[in-house]
Amino acid sequence: MINLIIEDREGHRAPVEIPEGISLSLMEVLKASEYEVLATCGGMALCATCHVQVVEGPDQFFIPNDTELDMLDTLPDAGSDSRLACQIQISEDMDGMVFRLL
Ligand code: FES
């Protein structure tokens, strides 16, 4: 299992367990876990409603891709630890990571 910690918008942290080997984005996992993520663009990096902050994790997960960066640049509350959850593919390297919903 891949274990993540998700901090919701009220500051409550809860574990989310994901089976290894699944092909889902973090956005899809958050929606499946009933977090309030609108994802109105369906994962195309166009709506920014899946904006998350990487709180803890390996360095490579702090680096947005180019499409994602274009969208993050338009957000007033984006920081160097911002990502779009739809652009993060779940992988075993993510075990133990902490994300905050924005
Ligand atoms: S779901 Fe729209 S930007 Fe991620």
Side-chain angles (χ1 to χ4, degrees):
M1 291 297 242
I2 301 163
N3 294 284
L4 304 181
I5 300 288
I6 306 298
E7 184 177 312
D8 68 17
R9 296 181 182 95
E10 281 76 50
H12 302 128
R13 289 188 177 199
V16 171
E17 283 193 343
I18 309 158
E20 287 162 22
I22 61 166
S23 177
L24 289 176
S25 69
L26 178 61
M27 175 274 278
E28 291 166 314
V29 166
L30 292 172
K31 283 182 77 79
S33 306
E34 302 190 351
Y35 282 99
E36 198 180 322
V37 177
L38 292 177
T40 45
C41 77
M44 305 289 288
L46 294 172
C47 70
T49 59
C50 67
H51 185 192
V52 295
Q53 186 179 10
V54 183
V55 179
E56 278 178 48
D59 289 350
Q60 74 261 32
F61 290 102
F62 286 82
I63 304 168
N65 64 42
D66 289 346
T67 318
E68 190 181 356
L69 202 51
D70 286 346
M71 175 51 66
L72 290 170
D73 276 347
T74 70
L75 302 180
D77 59 344
S80 58
D81 46 9
S82 284
R83 294 292 313 268
L84 297 176
C86 66
Q87 301 302 303
I88 303 174
Q89 282 301 309
I90 297 294
S91 70
E92 288 167 31
D93 301 346
M94 291 172 69
D95 190 41
M97 284 188 73
V98 182
F99 292 94
R100 181 177 292 136
L101 301 186
L102 294 170

